[in-house]
Amino acid sequence: MRHATRFAVIACVAGLWFAPSPMTAQRSTASPPASQFPPLGPGGPTLDVRTLTRDLPFPMAKIAVPLIPDRTVRITDHGARGDGATLNTAAIAAAIDACSKAGGGQVVVPRGVFLTGPIELKSRIDLHLERGALLLFSPRFEEYPLVRTSYEGGDSVKARSPIWAKGAEDIAITGEGIIDGSGQAWRPVKQFKMTDPQWKALLASGGVVDAAGTTWWPSREAMTGAGTVKALDARGGDVPLAEYAAARQFLRPVMISLVECRRVLLDGSTFQNSPAWNIHPLLCEDLVIRNITVLNPWYSQNGDGLDLESCRRVAVYRCRFDVGDDAICIKSGKDEYGRRRGRPTEDVVIVDNVVYHGHGGFTVGSEMSGGVRNILVERCTFLGTDVGLRFKTTRGRGGVVEKIWIRDIQMKDIPTDAIGFNMYYGGEAPTEAAEGAVASRPAMPVNEGTPQFRDIVLSRILCRGADRAVMIEGLPEMPIRGIVLDDVRISARRGLAAVDAENIALRHVEIAASTGPAISVRDSRGVTLDGVPVPGGDVPARAARRGDQVVWTLDNLKTIGGHAVSLIGAPRVVATPAGPAIEFDGVHDGLLLEVNPIEGLAQFTVEALIEPASDGPAEQRFIHISETGTDRRVMMETRILPDHSWSLDTFLLDAPPGLTLLDRAKTHATDGWHVASLTYDGKTMTHYVDGVRDGEGAVPFGPMKTGRVSIGVRQNLVSWFKGKIAVIRISPEALPAERLLPTPKL
């Protein structure tokens, strides 16, 4: 082995230059041989810290990286045997001790299967796994002594982690080898996550099944361990560790536990089959994770990929995850424990990663009581993760999650929410009511346990296939605030729902929902769609199949509100000061949708943001709603007058003669943006222009059945509209003037 005194700055290979640690007097300008590290893939060395941290939306100091002396110690020189049968715990520890006493260096695991117990990483040690090396951790529980540690955001007793370090500096795990935690020996398995043949094979392998017959455990000790631990924990923190031994097989460890470490590098290796979480840096600073692969069976209980807890200055890039729980997860402690510790996870850059399976592709929470801030997630791909972008917390957590930027994300086949903000995690949420009927919940007092989500920007998000596009679900006493969705395009079964939210900006959002409204808002304020307010407050439920306000943005010619569009003529999408709009030529342009947006409503409001042209026909129908098989209809028109001003003409017909509202003395300027509104409260029809009442009258009009709506023309193809229409909004009540869409000030 070599004993040279020069040092190598590991992270400068392949162009990744970080700020060195304070040990600059010992640093050589030489880098380790590039052959020691896996290729970075397309783009090669161009992805360096200057790229990752350039033009960040928050200030971030450079990340310091490990300084590892240029010294090599091979574990086989200390008696390790890669035969898959010899227990190499002592040999590997001897190699690390020898290298550490010499001042540090690279401890090499060569090709072979090396069975071992727990490994402690020490300062200035790079545990390097060569290609073909498999570090296989023993499935024998007695190899893992019990320790006091932190797990799921609080103090915990666990078995010793397979690889661990506490208070170490300048440490690394590198190389193209594999680390396997033998998690199958520890984990329970739920029946619903397996096929029948898999479940039968698991039962035949041994272990026990719980009384319900739905969960398999590796042993009876593991199955009953939860009760044992609960009873011991109830006695307080001074219970001797030896008393927990009866539950050892239940006390599953995380596979990689790094606590209070500084200058850490994980590069190139595969981390798989962990007993609980896979990689858990806690209270660490200056951490680089790149080019790694993290694997767990999709059915693995608590099989998270990477859990960054109360860490700062972190870069995670060009990694691959296929796991059984959250893939890339940000945490900062749970409830009063996390608030007392008061260490946020902050200054984190997550770029160019792929998640093939996991509960969440990128997740914050639910243990976020110490706070989360200054996070950038960029150019990541999520394929079939249960949720794409997942924010979760609950009452009692406290803590603030803020200043997060997520951009250039692509997703496919998301079984639940493409984007989800859930402040009821672990408890009954409003959306657990029947689909389409979101139930309100009473507000609770605001205290230190009230969590907050605020100031989160998501831009350039693409998802093809999800159950629901977006769920923003705040607490009535603490709404989710300051969420921006910009250039978001999602196809899903259901659209976007906002409950208990404030100051939510939807910009250039395209949601194709196959059922229900594309966008619905409840108990929220300050929600805007391309600058047009979507009023909050309480929107009463109705006895119909849908109970939410619907906003249609006319920014494309394929779908409106998730409904397919049949084109008449050649209307076109144009950019306007009021946002994107569809322009109609007044001769042969129109749209037809096979949906009745007021179906089943005893009361309703129909609003449209329009810009009538001054040179159009005298009578111009811009909305026409009809009921299939009858003559019942709702119509809204502009009447162009000789002086090129216009008046609003509206019509309701339940049974002849119906009611027309038209007052030619009330005129409005053409070639400018206006909001035309029609309300019906079950007895009286009223219409408004720019929030000012232009007419009203009593008329009977019962709830409509299925039908269709035409935009820009009457359904018999007369009365063509000339001008632009940007937004149509349907509300399930007769809105008062003060809650109508305001006219944009342009």
Side-chain angles (χ1 to χ4, degrees):
M1 65 184 75
R2 294 180 298 161
H3 296 282
T5 57
R6 63 186 176 88
F7 282 71
V9 183
I10 288 183
C12 70
V13 297
L16 183 58
W17 291 96
F18 292 84
S21 74
M23 301 164 57
T24 53
Q26 297 174 298
R27 179 169 61 90
S28 167
T29 57
S31 300
S35 61
Q36 293 180 4
F37 298 88
L40 289 177
T46 60
L47 188 62
D48 58 24
V49 73
R50 291 167 294 185
T51 303
L52 291 174
T53 58
R54 182 183 301 143
D55 301 323
L56 290 178
F58 51 86
M60 178 175 171
K62 288 186 177 180
I63 301 174
V65 295
L67 290 172
I68 307 295
D70 190 10
R71 177 181 293 107
T72 299
V73 176
R74 302 181 72 82
I75 63 171
T76 48
D77 292 341
H78 289 265
R81 298 177 61 182
D83 57 10
T86 302
L87 188 65
N88 295 291
T89 311
I92 294 173
I96 291 174
D97 286 345
C99 192
S100 177
K101 289 176 181 178
Q106 190 175 77
V107 175
V108 176
V109 181
R111 180 179 181 84
V113 179
F114 293 88
L115 184 68
T116 182
I119 295 172
E120 179 186 5
L121 283 182
K122 297 184 177 182
S123 294
R124 301 188 189 180
I125 295 295
D126 169 20
L127 182 64
H128 182 78
L129 287 77
E130 293 182 340
R131 181 189 291 269
L134 171 59
L135 200 58
L136 178 62
F137 284 91
S138 171
R140 288 166 47 91
F141 304 110
E142 56 268 29
E143 300 289 342
Y144 303 88
L146 297 178
V147 296
R148 299 191 191 278
T149 184
S150 179
Y151 179 65
E152 293 188 327
D155 287 330
S156 179
V157 172
K158 290 287 180 183
R160 170 71 75 193
S161 289
I163 295 180
W164 66 280
K166 184 171 183 179
E169 299 183 351
D170 300 300
I171 59 175
I173 300 174
T174 63
E176 297 179 73
I178 300 170
I179 297 171
D180 189 303
S182 291
Q184 76 285 348
W186 298 84
R187 293 187 303 261
V189 179
K190 295 181 178 179
Q191 182 181 13
F192 77 88
K193 294 184 177 182
M194 309 195 83
T195 65
D196 285 343
Q198 288 173 330
W199 181 250
K200 290 177 181 178
L202 185 63
L203 296 181
S205 70
V208 296
V209 179
D210 66 1
T214 57
T215 302
W216 174 90
W217 292 86
S219 67
R220 185 163 301 279
E221 178 181 311
M223 184 175 68
T224 60
T228 302
V229 170
K230 183 177 181 180
L232 292 170
D233 287 348
R235 290 165 50 187
D238 58 351
V239 177
L241 282 175
E243 295 193 33
Y244 284 87
R248 183 193 305 272
Q249 296 179 33
F250 170 77
L251 297 171
R252 296 179 289 139
V254 302
M255 189 167 78
I256 310 295
S257 174
L258 307 173
V259 181
E260 296 178 340
C261 295
R262 299 179 61 192
R263 299 183 297 279
V264 179
L265 172 67
L266 305 182
D267 186 6
S269 306
T270 295
F271 301 82
Q272 68 179 36
N273 199 17
S274 56
W277 298 346
N278 205 309
I279 302 170
H280 182 208
L282 169 64
L283 298 166
C284 293
E285 297 183 2
D286 297 306
L287 175 62
V288 179
I289 300 174
R290 67 186 187 197
N291 308 314
I292 69 170
T293 299
V294 181
L295 304 174
N296 265 330
W298 75 272
Y299 54 80
S300 57
Q301 194 75 8
N302 310 112
D304 293 32
L306 170 64
D307 292 272
L308 295 169
E309 182 173 352
S310 297
C311 295
R312 64 167 60 103
R313 293 189 300 278
V314 182
V316 180
Y317 64 100
R318 286 183 175 164
C319 300
R320 302 291 181 267
F321 297 85
D322 193 339
V323 296
D325 208 308
D326 291 323
I328 304 171
C329 191
I330 307 297
K331 299 178 181 290
S332 63
K334 180 178 178 181
D335 299 346
E336 195 274 335
Y337 177 92
R339 298 194 299 272
R340 184 176 66 250
R341 189 170 69 193
R343 282 284 300 273
T345 292
E346 58 186 339
D347 299 342
V348 180
V349 180
I350 299 170
V351 178
D352 279 352
N353 301 290
V354 177
V355 179
Y356 295 96
H357 183 270
H359 287 185
F362 169 76
T363 299
V364 175
S366 71
E367 304 97 315
M368 38 58 70
S369 304
V372 175
R373 64 192 180 207
N374 293 351
I375 310 289
L376 172 65
V377 183
E378 188 173 45
R379 298 198 307 273
C380 292
T381 300
F382 306 139
L383 303 171
T385 58
D386 291 353
V387 183
L389 298 165
R390 187 184 194 193
F391 295 78
K392 55 181 179 175
T393 186
T394 192
R395 290 177 173 129
R397 291 284 189 267
V400 179
V401 173
E402 62 180 346
K403 299 178 183 176
I404 297 178
W405 287 263
I406 301 174
R407 59 199 188 197
D408 297 306
I409 304 298
Q410 53 192 19
M411 297 180 271
K412 180 178 181 292
D413 299 333
I414 306 300
T416 61
D417 298 339
I419 301 170
F421 293 86
N422 179 7
M423 299 187 80
Y424 288 87
Y425 180 73
E428 184 184 4
T431 49
E432 292 175 1
E435 180 178 319
V438 180
S440 298
R441 294 290 187 271
M444 303 293 287
V446 174
N447 55 38
E448 64 178 7
T450 305
Q452 299 182 55
F453 286 159
R454 67 190 187 197
D455 300 336
I456 300 170
V457 179
L458 303 96
S459 58
R460 299 188 297 277
I461 310 295
L462 174 65
C463 177
R464 287 295 172 251
D467 181 71
R468 179 166 51 198
V470 183
M471 185 68 222
I472 303 174
E473 189 169 46
L475 299 172
E477 69 272 16
M478 185 59 67
I480 294 173
R481 295 186 171 98
I483 308 300
V484 175
L485 298 178
D486 189 1
D487 191 11
V488 174
R489 301 176 186 277
I490 301 175
S491 61
R493 187 175 71 87
R494 294 179 287 167
L496 178 152
V499 184
D500 290 314
E502 287 186 4
N503 300 327
I504 309 299
L506 310 178
R507 305 170 183 164
H508 310 293
V509 173
E510 178 183 311
I511 295 175
S514 59
T515 62
I519 298 174
S520 62
V521 177
R522 186 187 178 96
D523 300 332
S524 301
R525 304 185 294 189
V527 180
T528 61
L529 180 62
D530 292 322
V532 179
V534 182
D538 184 24
V539 179
R542 66 177 188 264
R545 63 185 179 88
R546 292 176 296 168
D548 296 313
Q549 197 170 64
V550 177
V551 179
W552 290 352
T553 303
L554 279 65
D555 60 358
N556 74 95
L557 298 173
K558 294 182 179 180
T559 62
I560 294 177
H563 306 286
V565 172
S566 296
L567 293 180
I568 304 168
R572 62 194 186 105
V573 177
V574 296
T576 78
I582 295 179
E583 184 174 43
F584 303 84
D585 68 358
V587 179
H588 51 58
D589 289 348
L591 310 174
L592 183 63
L593 285 72
E594 297 296 335
V595 62
N596 183 348
I598 61 172
E599 178 185 345
L601 298 182
Q603 302 182 20
F604 57 84
T605 299
V606 181
E607 303 166 90
L609 178 59
I610 63 174
E611 185 188 49
S614 60
D615 57 347
E619 181 179 339
Q620 304 181 32
R621 185 74 46 83
F622 58 89
I623 293 178
H624 181 174
I625 302 170
S626 67
E627 183 179 83
T628 301
T630 75
D631 200 30
R632 303 180 69 223
R633 56 188 183 271
V634 177
M635 298 188 292
M636 301 178 71
E637 301 181 356
T638 59
R639 293 296 185 106
I640 305 300
L641 304 179
D643 64 357
H644 300 293
S645 63
W646 66 278
S647 297
L648 181 61
D649 180 355
T650 58
F651 179 62
L652 287 186
L653 176 63
D654 192 320
L659 178 64
T660 297
L661 296 180
L662 172 60
D663 187 346
R664 297 178 187 272
K666 295 180 178 178
T667 62
H668 312 279
T670 52
D671 298 321
W673 287 97
H674 301 271
V675 176
S677 308
L678 168 64
T679 73
Y680 183 69
D681 65 4
K683 295 181 180 180
T684 302
M685 166 188 176
T686 307
H687 73 202
Y688 304 80
V689 176
D690 300 329
V692 178
R693 186 173 58 190
D694 269 11
E696 68 177 7
V699 60
F701 192 84
M704 298 182 77
K705 298 180 181 178
T706 58
R708 55 170 30 180
V709 57
S710 60
I711 302 171
V713 65
R714 187 167 171 163
Q715 291 183 17
N716 60 352
L717 304 186
V718 297
S719 305
W720 304 88
F721 175 77
K722 183 171 186 180
K724 305 177 185 72
I725 305 176
V727 174
I728 295 172
R729 188 174 74 169
I730 312 294
S731 301
E733 62 175 319
L735 295 177
E738 63 270 17
R739 290 178 57 196
L740 296 172
L741 286 173
T743 305
K745 297 179 180 179
L746 305 174

